[in-house]
Amino acid sequence: MLKKGNISKQGNIFKKGDVFLVTFILLLALAGILLPEAFSRGANIRKVAVIRQGNKIIKEVDLDEIKGPERLEISGDYRVVILIEKGRIRFEESNCPDKVCVKTGWLEKPGDTAVCLPGRFMIKIEGKKDEVDGVTY
């Protein structure tokens, strides 16, 4: 049997300070995710696709300078067709057995990579920053 004095009043388990602290931590986490993306947009970073076969660079393409769609056919042990458009690049066709390179799809951001292992082809987008070589007064 419970006495009246032993019954505790159940109220809010959070105090105003707890709510403030949790909100502050969530805002910090959100800022940590969104701010680096916002600052990177302002930088003058060109997207340059580097196409390699083995250790040899076949071609470098500035994806921001492309006017219209271009196709590049490269032959070796296997034949690949690479489709280049403004701001993006992909393996369009390949006669390799598994065609994983074609299934990779479009590469659009610096760091994106697609590889055709049987043919030893690789496409990688590198971010190249525009730098000033001189100082003006």
Side-chain angles (χ1 to χ4, degrees):
M1 182 183 271
L2 292 173
K3 296 181 182 178
K4 271 190 170 182
N6 290 342
I7 299 175
S8 64
K9 184 177 177 184
Q10 296 273 331
N12 281 342
I13 58 173
F14 293 111
K15 297 178 184 175
K16 286 182 183 179
D18 295 337
V19 172
F20 175 75
L21 184 62
V22 169
T23 303
F24 181 73
I25 291 171
L26 288 174
L27 287 174
L28 276 178
L30 186 63
I33 294 169
L34 296 179
L35 285 179
E37 180 69 26
F39 284 120
S40 69
R41 286 184 197 158
N44 289 334
I45 297 177
R46 294 183 352 254
K47 294 187 292 185
V48 177
V50 179
I51 303 167
R52 297 178 187 264
Q53 184 176 19
N55 292 329
K56 181 181 172 192
I57 294 178
I58 303 294
K59 188 170 185 174
E60 290 189 15
V61 181
D62 189 336
L63 296 177
D64 297 325
E65 298 295 321
I66 297 294
K67 301 297 182 214
E70 297 178 18
R71 283 185 171 72
L72 176 65
E73 186 173 329
I74 308 171
S75 295
D77 294 339
Y78 295 95
R79 182 189 64 83
V80 296
V81 177
I82 297 171
L83 179 59
I84 307 166
E85 293 182 357
K86 184 169 182 73
R88 61 190 196 163
I89 189 169
R90 68 172 293 173
F91 284 103
E92 184 178 41
E93 297 175 26
S94 176
N95 64 350
C96 65
D98 54 5
K99 299 190 182 358
V100 171
C101 54
V102 176
K103 296 173 188 172
T104 301
W106 289 105
L107 308 176
E108 299 176 339
K109 298 178 294 199
D112 285 353
T113 305
V115 177
C116 178
L117 285 177
R120 300 180 56 220
F121 296 106
M122 180 176 83
I123 303 172
K124 181 175 183 178
I125 298 181
E126 297 179 354
K128 300 220 176 177
K129 194 170 188 177
D130 289 335
E131 295 186 21
V132 179
D133 289 340
V135 178
T136 59
Y137 294 96

